[in-house]
Amino acid sequence: MSKHRTRSVSSRHDLKSAHGTTTQLSHSASTMKNTIIVVFSIIAFLLCAVFALEVEEFGTGNLRVTNDRLFVEIVGNQNVPKFTFRRFTSGSPTVSYRVKFQHLYESANVNTIQRLPATQIALPSLRWSFSDWKIEDKKLHFTITGTGRGDFDSVQFFVHIPEEGDDFKFDVRLNGFGSNYWTSDAGAVVLGYKIQELNANGEEDVSLKSIENNSRYEVEFGRRGYLVVEKEAYLTSDQNKERSFDVRVFTQGNGMIYNTYERFAGSLTHDPTLGYREEDNEGLNEAQTNSAPQSGVAFTAILASVALLWLW
């Protein structure tokens, strides 16, 4: 009888030990699972945070903006505005490109950049001011305004830099162009800007290659820079875009690009795009097709994290 009791007590002890071991294993598994969840959550958060816009103000309202692929510097508050941009990299610096806005004048029509007499406006002569910047819809928005003329109200550039991507927009808005400005019934406004490459030798003029298709001009400059200009602009007040105005693009060998805008009355809005390729220029559409966005890496990693947690 006593032997039976001894075996019974021993069995209960073994069961208790086994239960304790199982509980410990279950607790350890739960702890490991929670740890994995925390680790992958942190990884996912960091991958998303990498692509947030970074904005630095310097000087008098000037900006440096970095997204996942581009570094953009905007200067010219109280002076003529300039954009400098390059591909963002943590290794060796890439070549930078600088865009300087220089000329505004009237030509006889939209198909020529020949300046009409006494219509030249040196853009540095305008009074330039920068707005406060804001971030909405995952984009930085920033306005540059030039005033100081009696024959029109202002010239504005609305800058839009996204959190992700290798290009950004600078909407051109020509405000208050009425009868006091125009000297020709078929005239056009000409906006001239110069693109230079910044490298170890300083500032150098770039070669330009213009490609025209049905809806836009595509201008390649240097090894990896590009500009996209739509062929149509619209009155700012025309929300439904019922009537378009012709836009033409002309290039010169010294890095000068000219947009010509068909005569209009009031305020006109147009939206060119500047960008930097991942590979050397070999034709705009082909390069864009072959360029895989880096944001896909973060998305893939997050999906992998979710899949691992689900399988666990």
Side-chain angles (χ1 to χ4, degrees):
M1 203 57 190
S2 60
K3 288 183 180 180
H4 177 73
R5 283 198 302 270
T6 303
R7 285 196 299 270
S8 178
V9 170
S10 176
S11 298
R12 288 197 299 271
H13 177 72
D14 291 342
L15 288 172
K16 184 176 181 181
S17 299
H19 177 71
T21 302
T22 302
T23 303
Q24 289 176 352
L25 289 173
S26 176
H27 178 72
S28 299
S30 177
T31 302
M32 183 178 293
K33 183 176 180 180
N34 290 336
T35 302
I36 291 174
I37 291 173
V38 171
V39 168
F40 278 108
S41 297
I42 292 172
I43 291 173
F45 172 79
L46 290 175
L47 285 170
C48 293
V50 165
F51 302 115
L53 286 164
E54 294 183 9
V55 185
E56 175 191 355
E57 293 188 27
F58 68 101
T60 309
N62 300 319
L63 291 183
R64 293 189 181 103
V65 184
T66 304
N67 71 1
D68 70 319
R69 307 185 78 173
L70 282 181
F71 169 85
V72 183
E73 184 176 85
I74 306 167
V75 300
N77 198 11
Q78 309 304 320
N79 203 329
V80 66
K82 292 179 285 190
F83 302 146
T84 302
F85 66 100
R86 61 174 171 81
R87 181 168 293 282
F88 174 73
T89 175
S90 58
S92 301
T94 56
V95 171
S96 298
Y97 296 107
R98 175 168 292 165
V99 181
K100 298 179 180 179
F101 296 94
Q102 295 188 341
H103 306 294
L104 189 75
Y105 59 85
E106 184 181 355
S107 65
N109 58 67
V110 75
N111 296 311
T112 179
I113 59 172
Q114 183 66 41
R115 184 172 64 247
L116 292 178
T119 64
Q120 167 76 343
I121 300 170
L123 290 181
S125 68
L126 299 183
R127 294 192 298 268
W128 293 97
S129 61
F130 286 10
S131 73
D132 293 333
W133 57 271
K134 62 180 179 180
I135 295 178
E136 288 183 354
D137 301 324
K138 297 184 178 181
K139 293 180 181 179
L140 176 136
H141 304 278
F142 182 67
T143 305
I144 302 169
T145 303
T147 59
R149 297 279 302 190
D151 46 359
F152 63 86
D153 292 342
S154 64
V155 176
Q156 291 183 299
F157 302 107
F158 290 80
V159 183
H160 310 286
I161 303 176
E163 283 188 0
E164 301 180 23
D166 53 10
D167 58 27
F168 65 97
K169 286 184 175 293
F170 64 101
D171 297 352
V172 177
R173 186 170 295 177
L174 307 172
N175 296 312
F177 282 69
S179 57
N180 289 337
Y181 175 80
W182 301 104
T183 61
S184 170
D185 291 339
V189 176
V190 181
L191 174 66
Y193 44 103
K194 188 179 184 69
I195 298 182
Q196 294 178 306
E197 180 179 298
L198 305 183
N199 53 40
N201 299 320
E203 296 182 352
E204 294 184 350
D205 292 344
V206 297
S207 59
L208 301 172
K209 178 183 177 182
S210 180
I211 304 167
E212 180 179 0
N213 60 35
N214 291 333
S215 63
R216 63 185 187 177
Y217 295 89
E218 302 163 345
V219 182
E220 298 175 346
F221 51 87
R223 288 180 57 189
R224 298 189 176 185
Y226 65 90
L227 168 75
V228 177
V229 178
E230 304 296 330
K231 285 187 172 181
E232 296 180 338
Y234 299 89
L235 291 177
T236 306
S237 59
D238 183 8
Q239 299 297 321
N240 297 322
K241 297 184 177 181
E242 295 178 353
R243 181 195 169 185
S244 63
F245 292 79
D246 289 341
V247 181
R248 299 283 188 272
V249 171
F250 298 84
T251 61
Q252 291 183 342
N254 60 352
M256 285 296 302
I257 300 177
Y258 298 89
N259 297 354
T260 62
Y261 297 95
E262 180 186 3
R263 176 171 173 154
F264 60 95
S267 299
L268 196 72
T269 297
H270 186 233
D271 60 344
T273 299
L274 281 166
Y276 195 112
R277 296 201 199 295
E278 191 169 335
E279 300 178 355
D280 289 355
N281 284 322
E282 293 181 356
L284 185 71
N285 294 325
E286 179 182 351
Q288 285 183 331
T289 301
N290 293 335
S291 176
Q294 292 180 359
S295 58
V297 176
F299 182 70
T300 303
I302 292 171
L303 280 181
S305 301
V306 173
L308 283 172
L309 291 174
W310 183 79
L311 289 172
W312 181 266

